[in-house]
PDB file of all heavy atoms in Angstrom:
ATOM      1  N   TRP A 566      -2.750   1.204  18.500  1.00 94.00           N
ATOM      2  CA  TRP A 566      -4.169   1.051  18.461  1.00 94.00           C
ATOM      3  C   TRP A 566      -4.793   2.004  19.455  1.00 94.00           C
ATOM      4  O   TRP A 566      -4.386   2.040  20.637  1.00 94.00           O
ATOM      5  CB  TRP A 566      -4.573  -0.395  18.881  1.00 94.00           C
ATOM      6  CG  TRP A 566      -4.327  -1.470  17.829  1.00 94.00           C
ATOM      7  CD1 TRP A 566      -3.615  -1.316  16.710  1.00 94.00           C
ATOM      8  CD2 TRP A 566      -4.859  -2.762  17.857  1.00 94.00           C
ATOM      9  NE1 TRP A 566      -3.594  -2.491  15.989  1.00 94.00           N
ATOM     10  CE2 TRP A 566      -4.380  -3.409  16.682  1.00 94.00           C
ATOM     11  CE3 TRP A 566      -5.662  -3.474  18.735  1.00 94.00           C
ATOM     12  CZ2 TRP A 566      -4.721  -4.725  16.369  1.00 94.00           C
ATOM     13  CZ3 TRP A 566      -5.967  -4.787  18.413  1.00 94.00           C
ATOM     14  CH2 TRP A 566      -5.504  -5.390  17.261  1.00 94.00           C
ATOM     15  N   GLY A 567      -5.721   2.829  18.994  1.00 95.00           N
ATOM     16  CA  GLY A 567      -6.430   3.769  19.878  1.00 95.00           C
ATOM     17  C   GLY A 567      -7.852   3.232  20.058  1.00 95.00           C
ATOM     18  O   GLY A 567      -8.606   3.005  19.129  1.00 95.00           O
ATOM     19  N   HIS A 568      -8.220   3.081  21.330  1.00 94.00           N
ATOM     20  CA  HIS A 568      -9.511   2.517  21.698  1.00 94.00           C
ATOM     21  C   HIS A 568     -10.334   3.508  22.448  1.00 94.00           C
ATOM     22  O   HIS A 568      -9.906   3.990  23.552  1.00 94.00           O
ATOM     23  CB  HIS A 568      -9.308   1.266  22.508  1.00 94.00           C
ATOM     24  CG  HIS A 568     -10.523   0.531  22.929  1.00 94.00           C
ATOM     25  ND1 HIS A 568     -10.630  -0.171  24.069  1.00 94.00           N
ATOM     26  CD2 HIS A 568     -11.762   0.488  22.347  1.00 94.00           C
ATOM     27  CE1 HIS A 568     -11.820  -0.671  24.215  1.00 94.00           C
ATOM     28  NE2 HIS A 568     -12.603  -0.257  23.169  1.00 94.00           N
ATOM     29  N   LEU A 569     -11.475   3.915  21.951  1.00 95.00           N
ATOM     30  CA  LEU A 569     -12.428   4.775  22.639  1.00 95.00           C
ATOM     31  C   LEU A 569     -13.095   3.951  23.778  1.00 95.00           C
ATOM     32  O   LEU A 569     -13.693   2.973  23.545  1.00 95.00           O
ATOM     33  CB  LEU A 569     -13.538   5.300  21.685  1.00 95.00           C
ATOM     34  CG  LEU A 569     -14.673   6.058  22.296  1.00 95.00           C
ATOM     35  CD1 LEU A 569     -14.177   7.351  22.912  1.00 95.00           C
ATOM     36  CD2 LEU A 569     -15.768   6.301  21.241  1.00 95.00           C
ATOM     37  N   LEU A 570     -12.886   4.474  24.982  1.00 94.00           N
ATOM     38  CA  LEU A 570     -13.416   3.739  26.164  1.00 94.00           C
ATOM     39  C   LEU A 570     -14.791   4.213  26.603  1.00 94.00           C
ATOM     40  O   LEU A 570     -15.671   3.425  26.845  1.00 94.00           O
ATOM     41  CB  LEU A 570     -12.442   3.855  27.339  1.00 94.00           C
ATOM     42  CG  LEU A 570     -11.011   3.329  27.086  1.00 94.00           C
ATOM     43  CD1 LEU A 570     -10.144   3.688  28.258  1.00 94.00           C
ATOM     44  CD2 LEU A 570     -11.062   1.820  26.911  1.00 94.00           C
ATOM     45  N   ARG A 571     -14.930   5.546  26.738  1.00 93.00           N
ATOM     46  CA  ARG A 571     -16.236   6.074  27.217  1.00 93.00           C
ATOM     47  C   ARG A 571     -16.316   7.555  26.912  1.00 93.00           C
ATOM     48  O   ARG A 571     -15.280   8.209  26.739  1.00 93.00           O
ATOM     49  CB  ARG A 571     -16.405   5.819  28.717  1.00 93.00           C
ATOM     50  CG  ARG A 571     -15.459   6.610  29.624  1.00 93.00           C
ATOM     51  CD  ARG A 571     -15.473   6.120  31.059  1.00 93.00           C
ATOM     52  NE  ARG A 571     -14.884   4.828  31.295  1.00 93.00           N
ATOM     53  CZ  ARG A 571     -13.589   4.570  31.321  1.00 93.00           C
ATOM     54  NH1 ARG A 571     -12.727   5.516  31.164  1.00 93.00           N
ATOM     55  NH2 ARG A 571     -13.140   3.373  31.543  1.00 93.00           N
ATOM     56  N   TRP A 582     -15.638  11.865  15.815  1.00 94.00           N
ATOM     57  CA  TRP A 582     -14.559  11.496  16.677  1.00 94.00           C
ATOM     58  C   TRP A 582     -13.438  10.778  15.982  1.00 94.00           C
ATOM     59  O   TRP A 582     -12.193  10.950  16.280  1.00 94.00           O
ATOM     60  CB  TRP A 582     -15.031  10.725  17.927  1.00 94.00           C
ATOM     61  CG  TRP A 582     -15.386   9.290  17.763  1.00 94.00           C
ATOM     62  CD1 TRP A 582     -16.589   8.718  17.609  1.00 94.00           C
ATOM     63  CD2 TRP A 582     -14.470   8.144  17.811  1.00 94.00           C
ATOM     64  NE1 TRP A 582     -16.537   7.368  17.519  1.00 94.00           N
ATOM     65  CE2 TRP A 582     -15.197   7.000  17.639  1.00 94.00           C
ATOM     66  CE3 TRP A 582     -13.086   8.059  17.929  1.00 94.00           C
ATOM     67  CZ2 TRP A 582     -14.654   5.726  17.619  1.00 94.00           C
ATOM     68  CZ3 TRP A 582     -12.516   6.781  17.929  1.00 94.00           C
ATOM     69  CH2 TRP A 582     -13.281   5.590  17.753  1.00 94.00           C
ATOM     70  N   LEU A 586      -9.666  12.250  16.122  1.00 95.00           N
ATOM     71  CA  LEU A 586      -8.625  11.460  16.694  1.00 95.00           C
ATOM     72  C   LEU A 586      -7.544  11.172  15.562  1.00 95.00           C
ATOM     73  O   LEU A 586      -6.359  11.351  15.885  1.00 95.00           O
ATOM     74  CB  LEU A 586      -9.191  10.125  17.212  1.00 95.00           C
ATOM     75  CG  LEU A 586      -8.202   9.134  17.758  1.00 95.00           C
ATOM     76  CD1 LEU A 586      -7.521   9.694  19.007  1.00 95.00           C
ATOM     77  CD2 LEU A 586      -8.940   7.840  18.094  1.00 95.00           C
ATOM     78  N   ASP A 607     -12.190  -1.612  14.465  1.00 89.00           N
ATOM     79  CA  ASP A 607     -13.650  -1.900  14.753  1.00 89.00           C
ATOM     80  C   ASP A 607     -14.302  -0.600  15.053  1.00 89.00           C
ATOM     81  O   ASP A 607     -13.670   0.473  14.926  1.00 89.00           O
ATOM     82  CB  ASP A 607     -13.817  -2.953  15.806  1.00 89.00           C
ATOM     83  CG  ASP A 607     -13.274  -2.571  17.194  1.00 89.00           C
ATOM     84  OD1 ASP A 607     -13.322  -1.394  17.511  1.00 89.00           O
ATOM     85  OD2 ASP A 607     -12.762  -3.466  17.915  1.00 89.00           O
ATOM     86  N   TYR A 608     -15.523  -0.632  15.471  1.00 89.00           N
ATOM     87  CA  TYR A 608     -16.283   0.651  15.667  1.00 89.00           C
ATOM     88  C   TYR A 608     -15.785   1.512  16.780  1.00 89.00           C
ATOM     89  O   TYR A 608     -16.168   2.691  16.841  1.00 89.00           O
ATOM     90  CB  TYR A 608     -17.782   0.372  15.765  1.00 89.00           C
ATOM     91  CG  TYR A 608     -18.173  -0.357  17.061  1.00 89.00           C
ATOM     92  CD1 TYR A 608     -18.654   0.382  18.141  1.00 89.00           C
ATOM     93  CD2 TYR A 608     -18.060  -1.703  17.183  1.00 89.00           C
ATOM     94  CE1 TYR A 608     -18.960  -0.267  19.326  1.00 89.00           C
ATOM     95  CE2 TYR A 608     -18.383  -2.366  18.363  1.00 89.00           C
ATOM     96  CZ  TYR A 608     -18.848  -1.615  19.442  1.00 89.00           C
ATOM     97  OH  TYR A 608     -19.168  -2.241  20.584  1.00 89.00           O
ATOM     98  N   THR A 609     -14.950   1.005  17.659  1.00 92.00           N
ATOM     99  CA  THR A 609     -14.376   1.876  18.719  1.00 92.00           C
ATOM    100  C   THR A 609     -12.819   1.920  18.688  1.00 92.00           C
ATOM    101  O   THR A 609     -12.223   2.502  19.573  1.00 92.00           O
ATOM    102  CB  THR A 609     -14.758   1.410  20.131  1.00 92.00           C
ATOM    103  OG1 THR A 609     -14.285   0.041  20.324  1.00 92.00           O
ATOM    104  CG2 THR A 609     -16.285   1.425  20.293  1.00 92.00           C
ATOM    105  N   THR A 610     -12.231   1.341  17.656  1.00 93.00           N
ATOM    106  CA  THR A 610     -10.781   1.207  17.669  1.00 93.00           C
ATOM    107  C   THR A 610     -10.234   1.614  16.301  1.00 93.00           C
ATOM    108  O   THR A 610     -10.678   1.105  15.266  1.00 93.00           O
ATOM    109  CB  THR A 610     -10.293  -0.239  18.050  1.00 93.00           C
ATOM    110  OG1 THR A 610     -10.981  -0.629  19.212  1.00 93.00           O
ATOM    111  CG2 THR A 610      -8.803  -0.283  18.260  1.00 93.00           C
ATOM    112  N   ILE A 611      -9.194   2.449  16.321  1.00 95.00           N
ATOM    113  CA  ILE A 611      -8.487   2.863  15.132  1.00 95.00           C
ATOM    114  C   ILE A 611      -7.021   2.493  15.289  1.00 95.00           C
ATOM    115  O   ILE A 611      -6.487   2.518  16.379  1.00 95.00           O
ATOM    116  CB  ILE A 611      -8.561   4.422  14.979  1.00 95.00           C
ATOM    117  CG1 ILE A 611     -10.016   4.902  14.888  1.00 95.00           C
ATOM    118  CG2 ILE A 611      -7.824   4.825  13.671  1.00 95.00           C
ATOM    119  CD1 ILE A 611     -10.128   6.376  14.925  1.00 95.00           C
ATOM    120  N   TRP A 613      -2.856   2.809  13.725  1.00 96.00           N
ATOM    121  CA  TRP A 613      -1.894   3.642  12.952  1.00 96.00           C
ATOM    122  C   TRP A 613      -0.666   2.787  12.769  1.00 96.00           C
ATOM    123  O   TRP A 613      -0.095   2.285  13.698  1.00 96.00           O
ATOM    124  CB  TRP A 613      -1.551   4.920  13.623  1.00 96.00           C
ATOM    125  CG  TRP A 613      -2.737   5.855  13.723  1.00 96.00           C
ATOM    126  CD1 TRP A 613      -3.157   6.784  12.777  1.00 96.00           C
ATOM    127  CD2 TRP A 613      -3.627   5.901  14.807  1.00 96.00           C
ATOM    128  NE1 TRP A 613      -4.261   7.426  13.249  1.00 96.00           N
ATOM    129  CE2 TRP A 613      -4.589   6.922  14.506  1.00 96.00           C
ATOM    130  CE3 TRP A 613      -3.733   5.265  16.028  1.00 96.00           C
ATOM    131  CZ2 TRP A 613      -5.629   7.226  15.321  1.00 96.00           C
ATOM    132  CZ3 TRP A 613      -4.791   5.564  16.870  1.00 96.00           C
ATOM    133  CH2 TRP A 613      -5.714   6.568  16.528  1.00 96.00           C
ATOM    134  N   ASP A 646     -12.593   9.161  27.158  1.00 92.00           N
ATOM    135  CA  ASP A 646     -11.359   8.484  27.607  1.00 92.00           C
ATOM    136  C   ASP A 646     -10.913   7.568  26.537  1.00 92.00           C
ATOM    137  O   ASP A 646     -11.719   6.860  25.890  1.00 92.00           O
ATOM    138  CB  ASP A 646     -11.608   7.715  28.856  1.00 92.00           C
ATOM    139  CG  ASP A 646     -11.788   8.617  30.091  1.00 92.00           C
ATOM    140  OD1 ASP A 646     -11.277   9.725  30.119  1.00 92.00           O
ATOM    141  OD2 ASP A 646     -12.480   8.132  31.026  1.00 92.00           O
ATOM    142  N   PHE A 647      -9.606   7.481  26.288  1.00 93.00           N
ATOM    143  CA  PHE A 647      -8.981   6.613  25.310  1.00 93.00           C
ATOM    144  C   PHE A 647      -7.895   5.802  25.962  1.00 93.00           C
ATOM    145  O   PHE A 647      -7.237   6.280  26.906  1.00 93.00           O
ATOM    146  CB  PHE A 647      -8.374   7.435  24.154  1.00 93.00           C
ATOM    147  CG  PHE A 647      -9.326   8.038  23.229  1.00 93.00           C
ATOM    148  CD1 PHE A 647      -9.764   9.313  23.382  1.00 93.00           C
ATOM    149  CD2 PHE A 647      -9.774   7.286  22.152  1.00 93.00           C
ATOM    150  CE1 PHE A 647     -10.703   9.864  22.502  1.00 93.00           C
ATOM    151  CE2 PHE A 647     -10.712   7.834  21.244  1.00 93.00           C
ATOM    152  CZ  PHE A 647     -11.158   9.149  21.422  1.00 93.00           C
ATOM    153  N   ALA A 648      -7.687   4.593  25.434  1.00 93.00           N
ATOM    154  CA  ALA A 648      -6.536   3.788  25.719  1.00 93.00           C
ATOM    155  C   ALA A 648      -5.763   3.614  24.434  1.00 93.00           C
ATOM    156  O   ALA A 648      -6.337   3.351  23.399  1.00 93.00           O
ATOM    157  CB  ALA A 648      -6.948   2.435  26.310  1.00 93.00           C
ATOM    158  N   PHE A 649      -4.448   3.799  24.492  1.00 94.00           N
ATOM    159  CA  PHE A 649      -3.616   3.593  23.353  1.00 94.00           C
ATOM    160  C   PHE A 649      -2.653   2.453  23.641  1.00 94.00           C
ATOM    161  O   PHE A 649      -1.991   2.445  24.691  1.00 94.00           O
ATOM    162  CB  PHE A 649      -2.810   4.883  23.004  1.00 94.00           C
ATOM    163  CG  PHE A 649      -3.688   5.964  22.488  1.00 94.00           C
ATOM    164  CD1 PHE A 649      -4.174   6.977  23.336  1.00 94.00           C
ATOM    165  CD2 PHE A 649      -4.043   6.023  21.201  1.00 94.00           C
ATOM    166  CE1 PHE A 649      -4.978   7.956  22.858  1.00 94.00           C
ATOM    167  CE2 PHE A 649      -4.881   7.021  20.701  1.00 94.00           C
ATOM    168  CZ  PHE A 649      -5.346   8.007  21.519  1.00 94.00           C
ATOM    169  N   TYR A 650      -2.561   1.497  22.739  1.00 93.00           N
ATOM    170  CA  TYR A 650      -1.717   0.371  22.890  1.00 93.00           C
ATOM    171  C   TYR A 650      -0.585   0.496  21.809  1.00 93.00           C
ATOM    172  O   TYR A 650      -0.871   0.637  20.644  1.00 93.00           O
ATOM    173  CB  TYR A 650      -2.471  -0.940  22.706  1.00 93.00           C
ATOM    174  CG  TYR A 650      -3.676  -0.934  23.606  1.00 93.00           C
ATOM    175  CD1 TYR A 650      -4.924  -0.674  23.104  1.00 93.00           C
ATOM    176  CD2 TYR A 650      -3.529  -1.210  24.979  1.00 93.00           C
ATOM    177  CE1 TYR A 650      -6.065  -0.675  23.973  1.00 93.00           C
ATOM    178  CE2 TYR A 650      -4.633  -1.203  25.838  1.00 93.00           C
ATOM    179  CZ  TYR A 650      -5.878  -0.922  25.308  1.00 93.00           C
ATOM    180  OH  TYR A 650      -6.959  -0.891  26.177  1.00 93.00           O
ATOM    181  N   LYS A 671      -5.509  -4.934  24.517  1.00 85.00           N
ATOM    182  CA  LYS A 671      -6.879  -4.336  24.525  1.00 85.00           C
ATOM    183  C   LYS A 671      -7.850  -5.226  25.307  1.00 85.00           C
ATOM    184  O   LYS A 671      -8.639  -4.687  26.110  1.00 85.00           O
ATOM    185  CB  LYS A 671      -7.331  -4.178  23.065  1.00 85.00           C
ATOM    186  CG  LYS A 671      -8.703  -3.549  22.992  1.00 85.00           C
ATOM    187  CD  LYS A 671      -9.148  -3.425  21.513  1.00 85.00           C
ATOM    188  CE  LYS A 671     -10.620  -2.950  21.496  1.00 85.00           C
ATOM    189  NZ  LYS A 671     -11.229  -3.187  20.197  1.00 85.00           N
ATOM    190  N   ASN A 674      -7.450  -5.110  29.124  1.00 82.00           N
ATOM    191  CA  ASN A 674      -7.723  -3.844  29.835  1.00 82.00           C
ATOM    192  C   ASN A 674      -9.183  -3.892  30.288  1.00 82.00           C
ATOM    193  O   ASN A 674     -10.014  -3.101  29.889  1.00 82.00           O
ATOM    194  CB  ASN A 674      -7.452  -2.644  28.936  1.00 82.00           C
ATOM    195  CG  ASN A 674      -7.592  -1.339  29.621  1.00 82.00           C
ATOM    196  OD1 ASN A 674      -7.826  -1.247  30.835  1.00 82.00           O
ATOM    197  ND2 ASN A 674      -7.415  -0.264  28.899  1.00 82.00           N
ATOM    198  N   GLN A 677     -10.952  -1.003  31.667  1.00 86.00           N
ATOM    199  CA  GLN A 677     -11.019   0.085  30.727  1.00 86.00           C
ATOM    200  C   GLN A 677     -10.338   1.354  31.223  1.00 86.00           C
ATOM    201  O   GLN A 677     -10.879   2.431  31.316  1.00 86.00           O
ATOM    202  CB  GLN A 677     -12.404   0.418  30.310  1.00 86.00           C
ATOM    203  CG  GLN A 677     -13.054  -0.759  29.528  1.00 86.00           C
ATOM    204  CD  GLN A 677     -14.233  -0.347  28.721  1.00 86.00           C
ATOM    205  OE1 GLN A 677     -14.879   0.640  28.975  1.00 86.00           O
ATOM    206  NE2 GLN A 677     -14.517  -1.140  27.699  1.00 86.00           N
TER     207      GLN A 677
END
Side-chain angles (χ1 to χ4, degrees):
W566 284 14
H568 180 210
L569 172 65
L570 300 171
R571 68 192 70 78
W582 77 261
L586 179 64
D607 61 37
Y608 68 98
T609 62
T610 310
I611 304 172
W613 296 271
D646 288 334
F647 285 93
F649 291 96
Y650 308 100
K671 181 183 173 196
N674 188 2
Q677 295 201 336

